[in-house]
């Protein structure tokens, strides 16, 4: 069985073909960073228009890369939500139209289920059950996973997601968009212990997150240093970046360990854009090692939004008989734990 995956939930157009026996046959990702850079963030209308321009050409490229024709496909999977409604509608309409024209099933896929299953694209695949940390610009949540569709939400961010806090703090530091990866790079030059940032919501029970206050703490720190120095030095920028990243990573690690202990599990999966952060990976490897467990994550190119994860998730849903008719819709808000188990 072979399936085409289409991802258009935000500002990346991801297309891939997944084969049940061979794995990923071809994939392409087009990032809209250049389109949104002047605005310091994603502009939904521009994102939608760029998906309109790029989706069909990328599908043609992926089919060519895989040396395949549409007649060799068994289904089309597309991201139906959550995400930006205009961007989602582009992928939904194209995916459903192609499936209709090619006379093959169309499969709506939950974006976060795609992320959650992305580590399954690797050679070292985690076994069920496990705890998953889904951490990106739009989401931060801990989920107990007992199987595909068997999801129990353990905790989530009550305000800013971790990736959003990274980007906003980077903007406060005057870094280019997207700021999260730039801040992480800058933090490599920072000095440990120069600044002490709080670890929000770690001094109380529970598995929810809050990063808005951490961003405010960073803003106050930057303002204070600016008032004292006039113009902050590069080293001060790096020291603040280090302290901020350290606080986010520690907070995520503390909650992950708490979740593993609460669920009495030793396997941890991390996915989403922030899962590419090397400090976070190292910290989570430490805590799982102490618990005699293991952490799993996708390769960096599949941490961000991509078509391969949608194709894989779509494959699992298609095998379970999940398809849609012509009355498709985009679902910008779609709780992960409402998905039917398979």
């Amino acid at each position: 069985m072979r399936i085409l995956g289409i991802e258009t939930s935000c500002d990346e157009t991801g297309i891939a073909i997944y084969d049940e026996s061979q794995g990923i046959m071809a994939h392409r990702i087009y990032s809209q960073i250049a389109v949104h850079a002047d605005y310091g963030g994603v502009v939904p209308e521009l994102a939608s228009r760029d998906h309109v321009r790029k989706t069909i050409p990328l599908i043609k490229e992926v089919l060519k890369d895989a040396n395949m024709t549409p007649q060799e496909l068994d289904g089309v999977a597309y991201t139906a939500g959550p995400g930006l409604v205009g961007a989602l509608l582009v992928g939904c309409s194209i995916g459903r139209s192609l499936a209709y024209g090619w006379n093959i099933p169309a499969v709506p896929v939950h974006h976060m289920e795609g992320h959650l299953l992305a580590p399954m694209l690797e050679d070292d695949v985690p076994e069920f059950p496990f705890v998953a940390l889904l951490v990106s610009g739009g989401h931060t949540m801990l989920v107990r996973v007992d199987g595909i569709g068997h999801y129990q939400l353990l905790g989530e961010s009550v305000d800013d997601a971790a990736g959003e806090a990274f980007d906003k703090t980077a903007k406060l530091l005057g870094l280019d968009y997207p700021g999260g990866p730039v801040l992480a790079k800058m933090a490599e030059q920072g000095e440990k212990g120069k600044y002490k940032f709080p670890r929000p919501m770690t001094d109380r029970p529970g598995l929810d997150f809050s990063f808005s206050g951490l961003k405010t703490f960073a803003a106050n720190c930057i303002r204070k240093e600016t008032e004292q120095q006039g113009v902050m030095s590069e080293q001060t920028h790096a020291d603040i970046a280090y302290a901020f990243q350290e606080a986010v990573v520690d907070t995520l690690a503390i909650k992950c360990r708490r979740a593993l202990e609460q669920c009495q599990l030793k396997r941890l999966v991390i996915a989403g854009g922030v899962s590419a952060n090397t400090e976070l990976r190292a910290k989570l490897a430490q805590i799982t090692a102490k618990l005699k467990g293991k952490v799993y994550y996708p390769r960096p190119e599949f941490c961000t939004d991509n078509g391969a994860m949608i194709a894989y998730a779509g494959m699992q849903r298609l095998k379970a008989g999940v398809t849609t008719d012509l009355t498709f819709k985009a679902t910008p808000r779609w709780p992960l734990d409402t998905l039917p188990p398979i």
Side-chain angles (χ1 to χ4, degrees):
M1 183 178 286
R2 292 172 176 175
I3 191 165
L4 174 73
I6 302 172
E7 157 60 27
T8 64
S9 66
C10 190
D11 63 337
E12 268 115 9
T13 310
I15 309 295
I17 295 174
Y18 184 84
D19 182 278
E20 188 175 15
S21 59
Q22 299 179 50
I24 302 167
M25 298 190 68
H27 75 95
R28 293 284 184 107
I29 301 174
Y30 170 76
S31 175
Q32 299 179 3
I33 287 176
V35 175
H36 304 285
D38 290 342
Y39 304 94
V42 177
V43 181
E45 177 64 20
L46 296 181
S48 303
R49 292 182 182 185
D50 226 32
H51 287 310
V52 170
R53 285 192 292 266
K54 295 295 182 180
T55 303
I56 293 297
L58 283 176
I59 290 172
K60 291 179 178 178
E61 290 178 19
V62 165
L63 285 168
K64 183 178 179 181
D65 291 344
N67 194 26
M68 287 179 57
T69 65
Q71 289 69 39
E72 297 175 87
L73 292 170
D74 298 290
V76 177
Y78 58 87
T79 303
L84 301 176
V85 64
L88 289 169
L89 282 170
V90 176
C92 287
S93 58
I94 291 176
R96 187 61 193 84
S97 298
L98 290 176
Y100 178 75
W102 294 338
N103 194 29
I104 54 178
V107 186
V109 173
H110 192 290
H111 178 73
M112 296 311 294
E113 181 171 65
H115 275 304
L116 189 152
L117 298 177
M120 304 297 183
L121 296 168
E122 307 303 324
D123 294 332
D124 189 11
V125 176
E127 295 181 1
F128 300 115
F130 56 77
V131 170
L133 171 67
L134 301 178
V135 56
S136 65
H139 301 84
T140 301
M141 62 178 72
L142 281 164
V143 183
R144 178 188 171 114
V145 181
D146 289 290
I148 297 176
H150 296 266
Y151 307 135
Q152 178 189 354
L153 181 63
L154 302 173
E156 61 186 336
S157 179
V158 298
D159 43 54
D160 289 355
E164 182 181 4
F166 260 101
D167 288 340
K168 288 181 176 178
T169 301
K171 193 170 183 178
L172 291 170
L173 287 168
L175 303 179
D176 292 335
Y177 170 85
V182 183
L183 186 149
K185 184 69 176 176
M186 175 179 281
E188 295 176 4
Q189 308 303 318
E191 183 178 336
K192 183 178 177 64
K194 260 320 229 190
Y195 299 96
K196 180 64 175 178
F197 279 42
R199 275 59 173 165
M201 295 184 72
T202 58
D203 59 348
R204 67 189 76 175
L207 296 170
D208 284 336
F209 302 91
S210 172
F211 294 105
S212 180
L214 194 59
K215 174 200 66 185
T216 302
F217 190 94
N220 292 335
C221 181
I222 292 167
R223 183 171 58 251
K224 180 181 177 181
E225 291 298 332
T226 302
E227 290 173 353
Q228 291 180 353
Q229 299 182 27
V231 177
M232 286 199 311
S233 67
E234 290 186 13
Q235 186 59 48
T236 300
H237 277 79
D239 292 340
I240 292 174
Y242 181 98
F244 174 81
Q245 176 176 260
E246 184 183 43
V248 173
V249 168
D250 282 352
T251 300
L252 293 171
I254 290 167
K255 293 300 180 84
C256 283
R257 176 164 188 156
R258 192 177 292 177
L260 288 168
E261 292 173 342
Q262 177 179 306
C263 295
Q264 298 183 328
L265 295 174
K266 295 184 178 181
R267 288 182 290 272
L268 176 67
V269 162
I270 57 170
V274 182
S275 69
N277 184 284
T278 55
E279 292 300 316
L280 177 60
R281 291 190 176 199
K283 190 75 174 182
L284 293 180
Q286 290 177 10
I287 69 163
T288 50
K290 289 179 181 178
L291 296 174
K292 296 183 179 180
K294 188 173 181 180
V295 61
Y296 300 82
Y297 40 77
R299 70 195 79 164
E301 63 191 304
F302 294 148
C303 290
T304 56
D305 296 348
N306 64 88
M309 68 182 192
I310 301 304
Y312 180 84
M315 174 77 72
Q316 306 311 312
R317 291 284 168 182
L318 180 58
K319 287 166 63 178
V322 177
T323 59
T324 189
D325 56 24
L326 283 174
T327 59
F328 70 88
K329 65 175 183 177
T331 310
R333 296 184 182 276
W334 188 2
L336 179 65
D337 54 1
T338 62
L339 287 176
I342 61 173

